[in-house]
Amino acid sequence: MSSATLKSKTLGRIAMASKMPLQFVSLIMVVVMMMMMYGISEAQQQPLVKGLSWKYYESSCPKLESIVRKQLQKVFKKDVSLAAALLRVHFHDCFVQGCDGSVLLDGSASGPVDSEKTAPPNLSLRGFDVIEDLRRRVHKQCGARSVSCSDITAIAARDAVVLTGGPEYSVPLGRRDGVSFATREATLANLPSPFAPTDTLLSTLATRNFDATEVVALSGAHTIGVAHCPSFTQRLYPTQDATLDKTFANTLKGVCPNPNTDASTFMDIRSPNVFDNKYYVDLMNKQGLLTSDQDLYTNKKTRAIVTSFAVNQSLFFEKFVNVMVKMGQMEVLTGTQGEIRNNCSVRNSNDLLISSVVEDDTVESF
């Protein structure tokens, strides 16, 4: 196919997706075409953190990934919403204190604690029981303390993507589990807010070594899953956000008749249970749910990246895989650091620090 034909077809696809006239679309095509030309190549393999390996359990637990995959196929057949839940657990774990399984830890049985799991952004997390069930199955096959909960969480997140239609990819393994959890304050400080504009997301995540393309690709995880009303009703009440499609806004008002309604709705209205690139098509049609979603298309720094993902699913998949592997290696514990838990919700010594109770405030995060 000639470059002229490719450009013509791409222009038409963008216009169809965004309902914009071709003249306007052409203004951003130079950037988009450059990204498509240089981004379609085979995904670059992320360098591995010392202590991690692509074949870490090849000898000690060779059936690890098949055990997880087969069980999650059954789990998602019964409740596909758990795919997004498990993907979200991995995100929330990695962005706070690194990918150490700390978000899985419960507080001490002796009293209330200010724990990572009970911090406001994590109160709506689900799937902890699924991860613990996977640990039991893996340890039954391979022995106690054979595979860390943090590794199982990373594999489960990958399978959540694959089993809902997303790209297959390898997960580097060898993480150890942390023996402490983050405080409420640390959790709030490290998890991007659903209310954050793009400039804030970019500057915040740049400190974690994520560039603009990676930020937009990570946001694509919102192609599956739901968000609760308090996470987006500030765009509806008291006045409607101008970047929100009117018909979509009216639909959301039906779900959330007031700002604090206890309800939720899909983050991708086109294919809510399929991991694909339709989330970016939503953004081009002013149908992004969260402020942190829609502003990716409003902001000039990221609009062309959103557009390129909307018209080229392969490009999105490539960038998403790269950034997931990168994110999955954030501040990992390896070697003799940490431990391998016998129960994902309790450290082996069961000696957690006690602090203060946190208020019950359910707000989604990035």
Side-chain angles (χ1 to χ4, degrees):
M1 183 183 297
S2 69
S3 60
T5 301
L6 177 60
K7 180 176 180 179
S8 176
K9 288 190 174 184
T10 304
L11 281 167
R13 290 166 69 188
I14 296 175
M16 186 179 298
S18 63
K19 300 178 183 178
M20 295 187 297
L22 287 176
Q23 295 90 332
F24 179 77
V25 176
S26 63
L27 294 176
I28 59 174
M29 273 305 297
V30 173
V31 176
V32 175
M33 291 299 292
M34 288 179 64
M35 293 186 67
M36 291 174 67
M37 289 170 62
Y38 295 104
I40 297 177
S41 60
E42 187 175 336
Q44 296 178 356
Q45 190 157 306
Q46 289 286 340
L48 297 187
V49 168
K50 184 178 180 180
L52 297 186
S53 167
W54 299 106
K55 300 180 180 181
Y56 191 83
Y57 296 104
E58 188 173 49
S59 299
S60 61
C61 192
K63 295 184 179 180
L64 166 61
E65 296 194 44
S66 65
I67 294 170
V68 174
R69 177 72 59 94
K70 289 177 181 178
Q71 180 59 22
L72 289 182
Q73 287 174 330
K74 297 176 183 177
V75 169
F76 299 157
K77 186 175 182 179
K78 293 181 180 179
D79 184 1
V80 70
S81 72
L82 283 167
L86 292 175
L87 182 56
R88 189 164 175 249
V89 167
H90 184 48
F91 273 68
H92 282 227
D93 182 37
C94 290
F95 271 97
V96 181
Q97 202 171 278
C99 310
D100 64 347
S102 57
V103 74
L104 308 176
L105 286 171
D106 288 335
S108 169
S110 61
V113 295
D114 174 15
S115 73
E116 188 173 334
K117 183 183 283 188
T118 57
N122 291 335
L123 288 173
S124 59
L125 289 180
R126 298 188 303 131
F128 298 117
D129 56 333
V130 176
I131 294 172
E132 174 57 18
D133 178 64
L134 292 172
R135 182 207 60 77
R136 285 195 295 266
R137 292 172 183 275
V138 169
H139 285 194
K140 182 179 180 180
Q141 175 72 35
C142 301
R145 303 191 189 186
S146 54
V147 179
S148 68
C149 295
S150 48
D151 272 348
I152 291 172
T153 300
I155 296 170
R158 187 274 311 279
D159 286 356
V161 171
V162 174
L163 294 175
T164 53
E168 181 74 79
Y169 62 96
S170 298
V171 178
L173 300 170
R175 299 167 189 79
R176 302 267 292 181
D177 297 322
V179 295
S180 64
F181 47 65
T183 64
R184 174 183 184 275
E185 289 72 23
T187 303
L188 287 168
N190 284 283
L191 286 174
S193 166
F195 313 120
T198 295
D199 284 338
T200 299
L201 285 179
L202 293 178
S203 60
T204 299
L205 295 185
T207 64
R208 312 295 289 271
N209 198 32
F210 292 102
D211 62 28
T213 299
E214 291 170 330
V215 171
V216 177
L218 276 176
S219 299
H222 288 177
T223 190
I224 56 174
V226 301
H228 294 267
C229 293
S231 298
F232 58 84
T233 46
Q234 87 289 348
R235 302 184 67 205
L236 301 173
Y237 310 108
T239 58
Q240 185 178 310
D241 186 338
T243 66
L244 192 61
D245 175 75
K246 292 181 179 180
T247 301
F248 183 47
N250 289 333
T251 300
L252 294 178
K253 288 178 180 178
V255 176
C256 310
N258 66 70
N260 298 310
T261 303
D262 183 18
S264 62
T265 190
F266 293 117
M267 289 191 282
D268 173 6
I269 65 172
R270 284 174 167 75
S271 52
N273 294 317
V274 179
F275 196 98
D276 57 19
N277 67 334
K278 296 300 187 293
Y279 161 83
Y280 299 104
V281 177
D282 294 339
L283 303 189
M284 295 181 71
N285 285 282
K286 302 172 70 174
Q287 294 165 334
L289 188 60
L290 308 178
T291 297
S292 60
D293 292 324
Q294 190 57 54
D295 201 48
L296 293 173
Y297 187 66
T298 304
N299 193 295
K300 294 180 180 179
K301 296 176 184 176
T302 49
R303 174 177 289 201
I305 304 171
V306 169
T307 304
S308 68
F309 290 168
V311 300
N312 189 334
Q313 181 167 276
S314 295
L315 177 62
F316 162 51
F317 280 1
E318 176 195 326
K319 299 303 182 183
F320 183 79
V321 166
N322 284 342
V323 75
M324 280 294 288
V325 173
K326 179 177 179 177
M327 184 195 75
Q329 300 186 75
M330 292 171 65
E331 302 173 60
V332 292
L333 302 176
T334 62
T336 58
Q337 298 173 313
E339 64 184 11
I340 297 179
R341 293 185 209 136
N342 286 321
N343 181 324
C344 289
S345 65
V346 183
R347 60 174 287 184
N348 291 341
S349 61
N350 194 27
D351 183 24
L352 295 175
L353 296 177
I354 297 176
S355 185
S356 59
V357 183
V358 299
E359 63 267 28
D360 186 8
D361 181 15
T362 303
V363 176
E364 307 297 330
S365 67
F366 177 66

